[in-house]
Amino acid sequence: MARAPLFPASRALFRLARAVADARRPAERISDAEIGRVIGLESARTSRWKHGQISVSDAARLLALSQSIGVDVSILAHVAAGYLSADEALTLLGSERDFVRFLGEQVLLPQDGHTLSMVASDG
């Protein structure tokens, strides 16, 4: 059985979630395990996510993380896919103008009666 590859974007996604959680609630530090539980990971798997050893890219987990930390899911999807680093995402989130421009460039609007949707990896 082949070993699964490492997912460097997983580490970036964790770093983004950690930074946003710390900025939103600076008085009380949210533990890594709490961040992991938001998306259904037990402590051991949270550690693997933190170190970039598992991918967090399915829609349900990204949506749960988005709702928990208050970051647009399109930003999280781009970080999970490796298109944005955690630092780039934080810069986008810090600038309303850049954030709106990013959404305008990245979010596809429905055309010809078709819509874009995210689905879990298992269908």
Side-chain angles (χ1 to χ4, degrees):
M1 179 180 230
R3 285 178 42 136
L6 298 181
F7 294 91
S10 179
R11 179 180 284 170
L13 186 63
F14 182 85
R15 284 187 56 227
L16 175 62
R18 168 93 271 148
V20 171
D22 287 348
R24 297 271 161 86
R25 291 171 46 186
E28 55 183 86
R29 180 169 162 80
I30 299 171
S31 73
D32 293 348
E34 286 177 275
I35 294 173
R37 279 194 293 272
V38 165
I39 59 172
L41 298 179
E42 71 276 4
S43 293
R45 288 181 55 89
T46 297
S47 178
R48 291 181 64 213
W49 173 36
K50 176 180 178 178
H51 295 290
Q53 297 171 338
I54 61 171
S55 176
V56 177
S57 58
D58 64 78
R61 287 183 175 174
L62 288 177
L63 287 171
L65 186 60
S66 172
Q67 292 170 347
S68 172
I69 64 174
V71 172
D72 190 278
V73 72
S74 61
I75 297 280
L76 297 182
H78 278 78
V79 173
Y83 299 132
L84 283 176
S85 70
D87 292 337
E88 290 169 326
L90 287 169
T91 300
L92 277 175
L93 294 171
S95 166
E96 186 175 344
R97 187 187 71 207
D98 290 341
F99 177 66
V100 170
R101 183 182 317 125
F102 170 83
L103 290 181
E105 293 171 355
Q106 303 300 327
V107 176
L108 301 176
L109 299 175
Q111 298 177 11
D112 302 325
H114 299 284
T115 60
L116 175 71
S117 61
M118 295 175 54
V119 295
S121 59
D122 60 359

